[in-house]
């Protein structure tokens, strides 16, 4: 039987290409089958004949044919010519939706977890005056780089294997000392769980401490990340009224179901920035005791206290197990480091450690080791002192300019800490529309009304100042003044 002849153009080899010739032959045949130029049953030349026609070694063709055989594209039987054994679908055909077939659908849990509760008016792209964004121009990159290099050079133990899902011991030891000295939080290293973000901590705790349908109290207005975590866990979220002294448990609607969790930001309430006094803290702890609830204390921006003395953390005031303390390095260092932590009761350490392993929600080991070096060297304490002064200066400048330019249109007070301020409009204005218009001008501010679950919603903006320059603040105030003239006020 005559040797089969391949259609012209099937095999094109480029001897200057770094891709091996055997790989090129394999790809050419595979593409020819996909394109329909070679159909099932087509005979192929023998390895000797094809090698001679291509002027390549016979082993090169053997290798290509073996690759095709391994994928089931050709069949090779002793004494017979190789044949195309299957037709491959055209490239990309697998991704096409065939009419009448069902596309993959989200589960009930998937729908909850994928919902965007931030809504319109919440910044989506980075820009000037972005809330929650620390100052890049003040970050000690050289000190941090030295710690990273040291961690990469010295950290070569089994810590880099499948352990430390709950955190590197050296970092836990540093946190034990830091929290005891700065926040009055007493804990053993095993009670500290290192996670990647505050959001990860909240999602983890919501999953392990509640069942779908349980109630949780969330500050009103409140942190949207917490609302997202609780919503994803299928919880019933009840507003916890907040005023100029923070959350007020006595104002929760009568008849509301007892909560399993109570989430608060007592150091700097998010987004209003107020500090919860001691009496209000003790009242909240008693409410949690009465309900049998666990308080999730997000000690938001407690590192940035510009004036007055710090109030003791709830964790140090409450009975053992009543409060879980949460913190993050996203504002004091950088969000991109992806290091946060929570201090949990001893009875929960073992199940939470196993859950973290099961879910795979561990933070990078070398970044944790570098942070431990950074804290131990005193660089972290030095950095906090510098940025407190810088952030206070920038926060006061923002408030001064807004009050001078727009004091008759809005209400804003100098921050006692924090990295952003809440600006309240004196009249009910479409703050979502204004926030979107500001974002179009390069200012990543967010609408205050998005932080409310129920009416009445206060109208205003959340404006970041930590990384803001004088020019950005001036330009932002100009843009806001112009927009307030354009947007009509609404009746309250």
């Amino acid at each position: 039987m005559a040797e089969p002849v391949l259609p012209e153009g099937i095999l094109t080899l480029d001897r200057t290409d770094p891709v091996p010739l055997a790989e090129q032959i394999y790809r050419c045949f595979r593409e020819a089958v996909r394109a329909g130029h070679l159909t099932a049953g087509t005979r192929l030349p023998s390895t000797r004949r094809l090698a001679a026609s291509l002027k390549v070694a016979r082993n090169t063709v053997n290798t290509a044919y073996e690759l095709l055989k391994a994928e089931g594209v050709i069949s090779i039987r002793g004494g017979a010519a190789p044949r195309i054994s299957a037709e491959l679908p055209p490239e990309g055909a697998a991704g096409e939706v065939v009419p009448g077939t069902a596309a993959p659908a989200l589960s009930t849990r998937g729908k909850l977890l994928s919902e965007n509760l931030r809504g319109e008016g919440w910044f989506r792209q980075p820009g000037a005056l972005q809330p929650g964004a620390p100052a890049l121009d003040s970050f000690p990159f050289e000190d941090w780089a030295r710690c990273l290099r040291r961690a990469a050079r010295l950290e070569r133990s089994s810590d880099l294997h499948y352990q430390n899902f709950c955190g590197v011991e050296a970092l836990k030891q540093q946190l034990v000392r830091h929290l005891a000295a700065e926040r009055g939080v007493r804990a053993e290293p095993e009670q500290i769980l290192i996670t990647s973000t505050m959001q990860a901590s909240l999602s983890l705790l919501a999953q392990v401490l509640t069942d779908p349908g349980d109630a949780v109290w969330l500050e009103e207005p409140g942190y949207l990340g917490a609302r997202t975590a609780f919503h994803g866990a299928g919880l019933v979220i009840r507003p916890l009224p907040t005023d100029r002294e923070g959350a007020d448990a006595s104002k929760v609607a009568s008849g509301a179901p007892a909560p399993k969790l109570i989430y608060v930001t007592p150091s700097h309430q998010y987004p209003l920035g107020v500090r919860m006094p001691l009496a209000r803290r003790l009242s909240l702890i008693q409410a949690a005791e009465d309900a049998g609830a666990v308080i999730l204390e997000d000690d938001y921006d407690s590192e940035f206290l510009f004036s007055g003395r710090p109030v003791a953390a709830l964790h140090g005031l409450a009975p053992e197990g009543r409060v879980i303390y949460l913190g993050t390095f996203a504002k004091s260092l950088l969000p991109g480091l992806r290091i946060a932590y929570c201090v949990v009761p001893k009875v929960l350490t073992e199940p939470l450690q196993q859950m973290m392993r099961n879910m795979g929600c561990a933070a990078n080991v070398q970044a944790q080791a570098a942070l431990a070096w950074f804290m131990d060297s005193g660089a972290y304490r030095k950095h906090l002192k510098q940025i407190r002064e810088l952030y206070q200066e920038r926060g006061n400048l923002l408030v001064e300019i807004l009050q001078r330019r727009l004091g008759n249109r809005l209400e804003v007070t100098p921050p006692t800490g924090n990295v952003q301020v809440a600006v309240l409009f004196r009249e009910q204005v479409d703050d979502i529309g204004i926030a979107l218009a500001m974002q179009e001008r390069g200012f990543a501010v967010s609408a205050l009304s998005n932080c409310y679950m129920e009416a009445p919603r206060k109208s205003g903006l959340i404006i970041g100042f930590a990384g803001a320059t004088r020019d950005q603040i001036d330009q932002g105030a100009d843009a806001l003044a112009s927009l307030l003239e354009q947007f009509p006020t609404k009746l309250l």
Side-chain angles (χ1 to χ4, degrees):
M1 184 179 294
E3 281 276 0
V5 178
L6 294 174
E8 189 176 346
I10 291 293
L11 293 175
T12 304
L13 304 183
D14 182 357
R15 299 177 191 276
T16 64
D17 195 319
V19 176
L21 292 175
E23 177 78 9
Q24 292 187 46
I25 295 170
Y26 156 77
R27 291 182 183 181
C28 288
F29 273 120
R30 196 169 183 273
E31 180 55 36
V33 175
R34 280 193 178 278
H37 300 313
L38 295 175
T39 58
T42 300
R43 294 170 63 235
L44 302 181
S46 66
T47 57
R48 187 185 304 277
R49 175 67 179 271
L50 187 58
S53 65
L54 295 175
K55 296 182 174 57
V56 299
R58 189 178 179 187
N59 282 343
T60 299
V61 177
N62 279 331
T63 300
Y65 275 8
E66 288 299 326
L67 288 171
L68 292 165
K69 179 184 177 182
E71 282 197 359
V73 177
I74 69 173
S75 60
I76 302 175
R77 290 181 295 177
R83 291 179 181 270
I84 301 297
S85 59
E87 293 183 359
L88 300 178
E91 200 73 48
E96 297 176 2
V97 177
V98 179
T101 61
L106 290 174
S107 65
T108 300
R109 185 190 305 109
K111 291 175 182 177
L112 292 174
L113 289 169
S114 62
E115 284 188 49
N116 176 19
L117 301 186
R118 288 170 173 81
E120 281 194 308
W122 205 259
F123 75 90
R124 289 174 171 80
Q125 299 295 329
L129 308 182
Q130 178 179 328
L136 287 173
D137 61 350
S138 65
F139 185 78
F141 285 102
E142 290 304 317
D143 289 341
W144 178 247
R146 280 193 290 273
C147 292
L148 278 175
R149 287 193 294 269
R150 184 175 183 182
R153 186 173 66 252
L154 300 179
E155 194 61 47
R156 299 184 180 183
S157 67
S158 60
D159 285 343
L160 297 176
H161 289 171
Y162 294 102
Q163 50 257 24
N164 292 323
F165 271 88
C166 307
V168 172
E169 183 66 20
L171 179 56
K172 292 185 177 187
Q173 294 284 358
Q174 290 295 330
L175 281 169
V176 165
R177 290 190 284 271
H178 174 76
L179 293 175
E182 299 292 333
R183 302 300 297 130
V185 174
R186 307 289 178 181
E188 300 297 326
E190 61 268 21
Q191 292 179 257
I192 298 179
L193 306 179
I194 308 296
T195 64
S196 56
T197 62
M198 177 64 69
Q199 191 76 29
S201 297
L202 291 170
S203 297
L204 174 73
L205 293 169
Q207 295 287 341
V208 79
L209 294 176
T210 64
D211 293 310
D214 285 343
V216 56
W217 288 357
L218 174 65
E219 293 169 321
E220 172 84 334
Y223 176 47
L224 286 166
R227 193 196 305 179
T228 298
F230 302 146
H231 181 76
L235 305 185
V236 178
I237 305 173
R238 302 292 183 184
L240 176 57
T242 302
D243 55 25
R244 294 182 182 275
E245 292 189 338
D248 187 352
S250 69
K251 297 293 178 61
V252 174
S254 59
K260 282 290 189 68
L261 299 176
I262 302 175
Y263 172 85
V264 287
T265 52
S267 289
H268 292 114
Q269 197 277 335
Y270 188 92
L272 300 180
V274 298
R275 200 177 346 164
M276 186 186 294
L278 182 59
R280 187 72 64 89
R281 294 180 185 227
L282 295 175
S283 175
L284 180 67
I285 291 171
Q286 186 58 54
E289 283 279 297
D290 296 340
V294 174
I295 298 173
L296 301 183
E297 179 184 14
D298 182 349
D299 207 16
Y300 184 73
D301 284 356
S302 62
E303 304 93 342
F304 309 128
L305 180 63
F306 301 155
S307 60
R309 299 185 63 181
V311 180
L314 287 170
H315 188 278
L317 299 172
E320 167 69 22
R322 185 59 61 200
V323 176
I324 293 179
Y325 181 94
L326 302 105
T328 176
F329 291 93
K331 308 299 185 298
S332 59
L333 293 175
L334 291 175
L337 297 184
R338 300 289 188 266
I339 299 180
Y341 58 91
C342 50
V343 181
V344 302
K346 291 180 180 179
V347 68
L348 292 180
T349 55
E350 187 172 337
L352 280 170
Q353 287 171 1
Q354 185 60 49
M355 187 173 180
M356 288 185 69
R357 185 180 182 90
N358 292 346
M359 296 177 66
C361 53
N364 180 276
V365 166
Q366 288 185 326
Q368 292 183 59
L371 180 53
W373 295 108
F374 191 73
M375 296 179 75
D376 189 53
S377 69
Y380 182 61
R381 183 182 295 274
K382 176 183 176 184
H383 174 62
L384 285 180
K385 183 177 185 301
Q386 290 174 340
I387 59 176
R388 280 191 196 109
E389 297 170 357
L390 177 65
Y391 289 2
Q392 181 176 18
E393 177 184 332
R394 290 178 175 176
N396 288 340
L397 177 62
L398 172 64
V399 170
E400 176 191 335
I401 290 175
L402 289 175
Q403 288 178 336
R404 186 172 68 246
R405 291 287 313 279
L406 295 162
N408 61 327
R409 301 295 306 273
L410 55 81
E411 178 185 343
V412 60
T413 57
T416 59
N418 225 319
V419 292
Q420 69 252 326
V421 293
V423 173
L424 280 71
F425 298 140
R426 295 189 184 278
E427 298 174 292
Q428 195 71 2
V429 185
D430 179 11
D431 61 349
I432 292 177
I434 289 180
L436 292 173
M438 289 284 286
Q439 291 165 21
E440 290 176 359
R441 289 159 172 77
F443 300 100
V445 301
S446 292
L448 178 63
S449 63
N450 285 37
C451 295
Y452 288 83
M453 292 179 285
E454 298 182 350
R457 300 166 179 256
K458 291 187 177 180
S459 174
L461 296 176
I462 307 172
I463 303 178
F465 56 76
T469 65
R470 174 63 185 253
D471 286 344
Q472 289 173 337
I473 293 174
D474 281 331
Q475 293 164 11
D478 288 343
L480 180 56
S482 173
L483 289 168
L484 283 172
E485 294 299 323
Q486 299 173 31
F487 278 76
T489 59
K490 298 179 181 179
L491 293 176
L492 293 175

